Amino acid sequence: MSTGQLSMENPGPRARCPVQEQRARWERKRACTARELLETERRYQEQLGLVATYFVGILRAKGTLRPPERQALFGPWELIYGASQELLPRLEGGHWGQGLEGFCPHLELYTQFAANAERSQTTLQEQLKKSKRFRRFVRLQEGRPEFGGLQLQDLLPLPLQRLQQYENLVVALAENTSPNSPDHQQLTRAARLISEAAQRVHTIGQKQKNDQHLRRVQALLSGRRAKGLTSGRWFLRQGWLLVVPPRGEPRPRMFFLFSDVLVVAKPRPPLHLLQSGTFVCRAVYPMAQCQLQRVFGHSGGPCGGLLSLSFPHEKLLLMSTDQEELLRWYHSLTLAISSQKN
């Protein structure tokens, strides 16, 4: 019998079954993920405790902030801290499925915290500005060695950051747990519930950012057509483009693109007494009636290009000397048009 035949018949002690190799990979990834989850939960609970002890608790005892202001600033912080205090001992005991499944009813606290996030930041800035006593208190607490140079405004987003970590780590833990494991079902359910909570929080954050954009844009616009213009809309983009008329020179205009309309505005004169720096709304175009075409600017060169926007009773030619900027506008306009057709 040849040597080649011998090697095929006797693979040797180092060869491993593919199923065993897959299980070993799962175990290594699971152990690594579990260790990271445990270590980061300890640090997270420590930071939650710092804020709960040195800010929430002392502010309550001293009465530096009235209860409504304290609630607006911290939201359900102490309840979130309590949820971590329940979770950590279970993780330290290796009860991953039981611990994480038991943690899931507390996820609503994170949704409440996200809904209050904008109000929290506003309250912090208002109180720092108007209350010398509160400002001195915050500086004193932030100077404690336990905080390691971190400021209160750095710590306030902590629960929302942690929720994203929970999603990444618990999903990875569930994916690398054998289906035959006793806690596989619990981990899979926990991963799904945490992912759903993270999506709700993301949606809340997107709406808060959009509301900020709408308030900013509404403050920039003036004139009869601008009244209530941004209400209930989704902001997509703003910027300068050149309007190319049938005759004459291109004119610079400020464009505000929302999910359903395109607003064209003209800057007020710099010397205007009351509204310098704002824009007069000159036209509002419904995106549901828009047909978009790139006239030129396909090559990606440095010479910019033209966009043609056709509406039932009017046609706009928009120009930019910046090819990349024009491409961004083209994609945003395409998105707005397609959203109106769905």
Side-chain angles (χ1 to χ4, degrees):
M1 188 178 292
S2 69
T3 304
Q5 288 175 314
L6 281 170
S7 64
M8 289 177 63
E9 292 174 5
N10 183 18
R14 298 180 66 182
R16 298 184 65 177
C17 170
V19 174
Q20 291 176 327
E21 290 179 352
Q22 179 61 55
R23 285 176 180 165
R25 281 196 295 271
W26 277 346
E27 280 303 314
R28 285 194 299 272
K29 289 181 181 178
R30 174 185 162 93
C32 182
T33 303
R35 184 168 59 251
E36 184 179 355
L37 178 59
L38 178 58
E39 291 173 355
T40 54
E41 186 66 23
R42 285 172 177 153
R43 176 58 178 156
Y44 174 54
Q45 186 179 121
E46 178 187 339
Q47 292 179 316
L48 287 175
L50 287 175
V51 175
T53 301
Y54 292 111
F55 281 98
V56 186
I58 295 179
L59 283 171
R60 181 189 296 112
K62 292 171 65 106
T64 307
L65 289 181
R66 294 183 300 113
E69 294 162 346
R70 193 176 65 245
Q71 180 62 29
L73 180 54
F74 296 105
W77 189 282
E78 289 177 304
L79 295 174
I80 289 173
Y81 179 39
S84 177
Q85 289 177 307
E86 287 181 23
L87 174 62
L88 184 57
R90 293 177 179 176
L91 299 185
E92 289 175 329
H95 306 298
W96 306 100
Q98 181 189 33
L100 289 164
E101 189 176 46
F103 171 75
C104 285
H106 299 296
L107 289 170
E108 181 58 30
L109 295 172
Y110 285 81
T111 306
Q112 295 171 14
F113 191 86
N116 186 64
E118 188 176 11
R119 185 178 173 217
S120 172
Q121 288 293 337
T122 302
T123 302
L124 177 61
Q125 297 308 318
E126 287 176 350
Q127 293 302 317
L128 287 173
K129 186 176 180 179
K130 75 179 188 179
S131 172
K132 184 177 179 180
R133 184 185 177 196
F134 178 71
R135 193 162 58 244
R136 189 165 53 241
F137 170 79
V138 169
R139 279 202 304 265
L140 179 66
Q141 302 305 83
E142 290 174 344
R144 291 177 177 271
E146 296 91 338
F147 284 86
L150 288 172
Q151 296 182 334
L152 179 58
Q153 65 181 5
D154 302 322
L155 292 167
L156 284 178
L158 194 62
L160 301 184
Q161 296 165 358
R162 183 56 178 168
L163 181 62
Q164 187 59 60
Q165 291 178 328
Y166 279 143
E167 181 182 21
N168 296 337
L169 291 170
V170 176
V171 167
L173 193 64
E175 288 177 346
N176 291 289
T177 297
S178 168
N180 298 324
S181 173
D183 62 354
H184 178 265
Q185 191 171 353
Q186 290 174 314
L187 287 172
T188 301
R189 181 174 178 273
R192 176 177 59 80
L193 292 174
I194 290 171
S195 293
E196 289 173 357
Q199 182 56 51
R200 288 195 298 273
V201 165
H202 176 73
T203 301
I204 290 169
Q206 291 295 101
K207 186 178 184 307
Q208 288 175 345
K209 287 180 182 178
N210 183 67
D211 290 344
Q212 291 171 1
H213 280 303
L214 295 184
R215 288 193 295 269
R216 178 184 58 80
V217 172
Q218 189 66 64
L220 286 173
L221 292 171
S222 60
R224 181 176 54 83
R225 291 177 177 172
K227 190 174 182 181
L229 182 62
T230 62
S231 179
R233 294 199 150 99
W234 279 92
F235 174 82
L236 298 180
R237 176 173 291 279
Q238 80 176 68
W240 291 97
L241 290 170
L242 294 168
V243 178
V244 182
R247 291 183 299 275
E249 293 296 316
R251 299 186 297 267
R253 293 289 182 266
M254 177 62 78
F255 286 80
F256 300 92
L257 178 63
F258 301 90
S259 53
D260 61 331
V261 294
L262 177 67
V263 176
V264 185
K266 181 180 178 181
R268 285 196 178 274
L271 298 179
H272 194 285
L273 291 177
L274 298 177
Q275 295 176 313
S276 176
T278 65
F279 298 85
V280 183
C281 178
R282 301 305 299 266
V284 179
Y285 296 98
M287 298 311 296
Q289 299 175 5
C290 179
Q291 291 185 332
L292 174 65
Q293 184 180 1
R294 276 193 283 184
V295 179
F296 71 84
H298 297 263
S299 63
C303 299
L306 275 174
L307 296 178
S308 170
L309 285 72
S310 298
F311 299 93
H313 304 292
E314 193 171 352
K315 183 174 182 177
L316 288 177
L317 274 180
L318 306 181
M319 185 172 78
S320 173
T321 56
D322 186 332
Q323 177 71 40
E324 291 185 2
E325 177 68 5
L326 193 79
L327 187 61
R328 286 191 287 268
W329 270 103
Y330 178 78
H331 287 317
S332 296
L333 288 163
T334 301
L335 176 65
I337 293 168
S338 63
S339 72
Q340 295 305 299
K341 292 180 179 178
N342 293 337

